[in-house]
Amino acid sequence: MRPVVIFICFGWIFFSHCIVPDKPGFTDAASEQGFKVAQKYCQSCHLLPRATDLDKATWVNYVLPKMGILMGYHSMGMNRYITRTDKPLLSLEDWDKIRHHFITEAPDKLTDTSNRKLIGPALDGFEIVTGAQLTEQPMTTYIGYQHASRQLLVGDGMQPALFLTDASGSRKPIMLPTGVGISHVTADSALYVLTMGVLQPSDSRRGELVKFNTVTTARQTVLDSLQRPVHFVLEDLNEDGRKDIVVAEFGNQTGQLSWYERGRNNTYFKHILRAIPGAIRIVTTDWNQDGHPDILALMAQGDEGVFLYENTGTGQFKEKVLLRFPAVHGSNYLEMLDYNQDGLPDLLITNGDNGDYPPVMKPYHGIRIYQNKGNNQFEQVIFLPMNGVGKAMAADFNQDGQLDIAAISFFPDKVNSPDEAFVLWKGLGQGEYEPASFPEARNGNWLTMDQADMDGDGDLDIVLGQASFGLNQAQTGQGAMEKKSWIWLKNRLR
């Protein structure tokens, strides 16, 4: 979940890159004037948001008051604002014009025009195996499977420890001491564990990266004082034989995407790639095939998009924008794939974060695949609508030669479509997908997921991590499923 989407630019804050209608229509002349004022103040660093991306109540009660504070005005309620600083960033008259535009043009309720398919009630070929309950109130922030050790790794947001167990939960877990809020784990020469240090939106520097000796489990701090970090990648970026570290410090009002150059004697030197909050996912790859590892980063928060950092080969990087999205979209996951098997890397991206204000079902939430057309140009070829989707992983789960997609949602439509808490999108070919779920899925709150061959039988299984927060959003009472830290979807193909 993210704080309200904002972006600092030229000394003031507003929504980042947003989509402008090709031919904007206006309810009245004042709305058109407000649109022009917003263009003046917004487009110095990004595009203007569409009023129709959010409903009227969300603009009035949550977004505009937050924007007002940042521009120098305080909401008194009843749609009245007063100056809160000697030097507001614009006049009260201009601020009123901007507000009028968004309030006037925003709909009372967002309309869903997406072509949603009925979610099937059963997962063919999968056995549902409930895992263990590691804590009284499961708050699983990380789950992943390590092939080398054949262990399931589980991080609980309220426990300063990494749990090592098996997929079924039958083995007594080993606990490794860590910070709070494990966000990512990678096994290399050691087991590297990243912790946020704090779960709620914060600019505090309590995050750290530690590593454990895989034999003795001895603990060593690698990086500390990180700003709510959510992801990292180990990669030898300057090709000196030592692995460097790329870290996404999501932060809150501030944050950064950085790489830490590893020197001799395990010292690290920080290089900032992007000095704004919202870095959420990192992929390293030789994007331009020049023999040097490049960096792909998904940015959320304000200036949402996919940014490429081309490695010049000397430890220097050149930033290029591959994709940009409206800040209200809620980008939250990225992975690279070759969707059409043409040798060019394509991108799978989810946007479903709905934690900025009371959740509103947004018809543009879902899973998208962007096909690489060459020369860093992309075309959206797949959109699978899915309320509140948080993560999607592509793989051929039934081994029929078609790409399937497993996806979780922490903000599903619990009233009209509760089964979208987990969906397995079965690939049918020609860009068609058939969604299916399982009855128990609607009773869980799935925050994280991984896929791997966890029983060594040659097919891919799926594991879902639950963060219940002590609340069953379906209001059906606490059941056994809601008490489990994870659930294992065991593939019975083999």
Side-chain angles (χ1 to χ4, degrees):
M1 293 180 283
R2 303 174 302 145
V4 173
V5 269
I6 51 177
F7 176 55
I8 302 176
C9 183
F10 295 109
W12 60 281
I13 306 178
F14 204 80
F15 275 95
S16 79
H17 172 87
C18 312
I19 297 173
V20 181
D22 294 332
K23 296 180 179 180
F26 304 101
T27 300
D28 53 37
S31 175
E32 182 174 7
Q33 189 176 19
F35 176 79
K36 292 178 180 178
V37 174
Q39 282 184 309
K40 173 183 175 181
Y41 285 97
C42 180
Q43 293 193 145
S44 60
C45 55
H46 49 70
L47 299 180
L48 189 66
R50 294 185 303 189
T52 54
D53 282 339
L54 295 172
D55 63 90
K56 198 182 302 291
T58 300
W59 281 113
V60 171
N61 298 325
Y62 300 100
V63 179
L64 288 172
K66 291 287 186 179
M67 292 166 61
I69 290 173
L70 298 168
M71 287 189 170
Y73 295 98
H74 177 71
S75 172
M76 299 296 291
M78 302 297 291
N79 209 23
R80 292 183 59 250
Y81 284 78
I82 60 172
T83 306
R84 63 186 298 269
T85 177
D86 293 336
K87 294 182 179 180
L89 298 173
L90 73 170
S91 70
L92 181 58
E93 181 182 5
D94 281 346
W95 172 234
D96 286 340
K97 290 176 181 178
I98 290 174
R99 290 191 304 105
H100 176 80
H101 166 70
F102 285 105
I103 294 171
T104 301
E105 304 303 338
D108 292 330
K109 183 179 180 180
L110 298 184
T111 301
D112 188 356
T113 58
S114 60
N115 184 23
R116 296 181 184 269
K117 293 185 177 180
L118 183 66
I119 300 173
L123 290 180
D124 293 337
F126 284 87
E127 175 188 354
I128 313 302
V129 181
T130 56
Q133 180 181 346
L134 298 179
T135 61
E136 177 63 26
Q137 181 178 303
M139 198 175 294
T140 308
T141 57
Y142 174 81
I143 198 157
Y145 186 79
Q146 296 292 337
H147 286 282
S149 63
R150 300 180 66 181
Q151 291 176 316
L152 185 70
L153 311 183
V154 185
D156 188 274
M158 300 304 293
Q159 297 294 323
L162 176 67
F163 296 87
L164 284 66
T165 182
D166 64 315
S168 67
S170 59
R171 185 188 309 167
K172 183 178 179 180
I174 299 170
M175 296 176 63
L176 300 180
T178 69
V180 173
I182 294 173
S183 53
H184 192 60
V185 179
T186 291
D188 194 69
S189 56
L191 189 65
Y192 289 78
V193 182
L194 184 68
T195 57
M196 293 179 283
V198 58
L199 296 185
Q200 68 270 24
S202 172
D203 287 320
S204 64
R205 297 181 177 276
R206 302 179 190 174
E208 63 178 0
L209 178 65
V210 300
K211 68 177 181 179
F212 294 91
N213 185 293
T214 55
V215 177
T216 66
T217 70
R219 182 184 187 273
Q220 178 183 346
T221 300
V222 180
L223 301 172
D224 59 16
S225 302
L226 300 175
Q227 206 167 353
R228 201 166 165 238
V230 296
H231 196 227
F232 78 97
V233 172
L234 302 174
E235 186 71 61
D236 183 5
L237 295 171
N238 55 359
E239 302 169 75
D240 61 357
R242 296 185 291 266
K243 285 197 175 179
D244 310 301
I245 309 170
V246 190
V247 182
E249 294 181 71
F250 191 100
N252 182 25
Q253 303 289 350
T254 61
Q256 57 238 296
L257 173 71
S258 304
W259 74 280
Y260 290 79
E261 179 182 359
R262 182 179 176 184
R264 293 176 180 152
N265 302 319
N266 290 323
T267 55
Y268 287 89
F269 305 94
K270 183 175 182 178
H271 306 274
I272 297 177
L273 295 168
R274 192 165 175 80
I276 63 173
I280 195 168
R281 185 74 182 173
I282 303 162
V283 176
T284 55
T285 181
D286 184 4
W287 183 265
N288 54 7
Q289 299 296 304
D290 65 352
H292 306 302
D294 307 306
I295 301 169
L296 278 180
L298 177 66
M299 298 293 297
Q301 189 72 339
D303 193 10
E304 296 197 22
V306 180
F307 296 81
L308 169 66
Y309 296 87
E310 287 188 339
N311 192 339
T312 63
T314 60
Q316 301 296 315
F317 293 85
K318 182 186 300 183
E319 181 185 273
K320 293 184 177 180
V321 181
L322 299 186
L323 292 166
R324 254 195 174 113
F325 313 116
V328 295
H329 272 207
S331 302
N332 47 17
Y333 186 74
L334 160 75
E335 70 176 37
M336 198 170 68
L337 71 165
D338 187 358
Y339 173 72
N340 58 340
Q341 300 297 308
D342 64 352
L344 296 176
D346 306 312
L347 302 174
L348 181 152
I349 301 172
T350 64
N351 65 301
D353 184 14
N354 216 351
D356 299 328
Y357 25 78
V360 175
M361 295 301 108
K362 300 173 182 177
Y364 44 82
H365 275 180
I367 305 163
R368 290 172 170 83
I369 293 179
Y370 293 89
Q371 184 177 323
N372 191 336
K373 310 300 287 187
N375 297 318
N376 292 331
Q377 300 298 309
F378 288 82
E379 177 187 356
Q380 179 183 307
V381 293
I382 296 293
F383 172 58
L384 304 175
M386 186 171 172
N387 287 301
V389 60
K391 186 174 184 177
M393 306 184 80
D396 186 4
F397 291 101
N398 60 359
Q399 299 183 8
D400 65 351
Q402 301 294 338
L403 193 69
D404 309 308
I405 301 173
I408 52 173
S409 169
F410 195 72
F411 297 100
D413 186 343
K414 286 286 189 179
V415 176
N416 300 305
S417 185
D419 290 330
E420 65 186 353
F422 170 82
V423 178
L424 181 60
W425 297 86
K426 179 182 177 182
L428 304 178
Q430 304 300 315
E432 293 294 323
Y433 287 85
E434 181 180 86
S437 187
F438 58 101
E440 297 90 340
R442 63 176 61 189
N443 296 323
N445 301 288
W446 314 113
L447 186 62
T448 184
M449 171 180 63
D450 196 17
Q451 55 94 1
D453 183 5
M454 300 176 200
D455 52 5
D457 64 354
D459 52 34
L460 292 173
D461 309 304
I462 303 168
V463 62
L464 311 179
Q466 175 162 218
S468 69
F469 293 98
L471 173 66
N472 178 1
Q473 297 176 15
Q475 304 296 318
T476 57
Q478 288 287 339
M481 183 63 65
E482 297 128 45
K483 289 289 188 178
K484 298 300 182 181
S485 297
W486 75 90
I487 188 170
W488 176 22
L489 306 183
K490 189 174 183 179
N491 198 331
R492 285 302 192 184
L493 185 63
R494 297 184 178 180

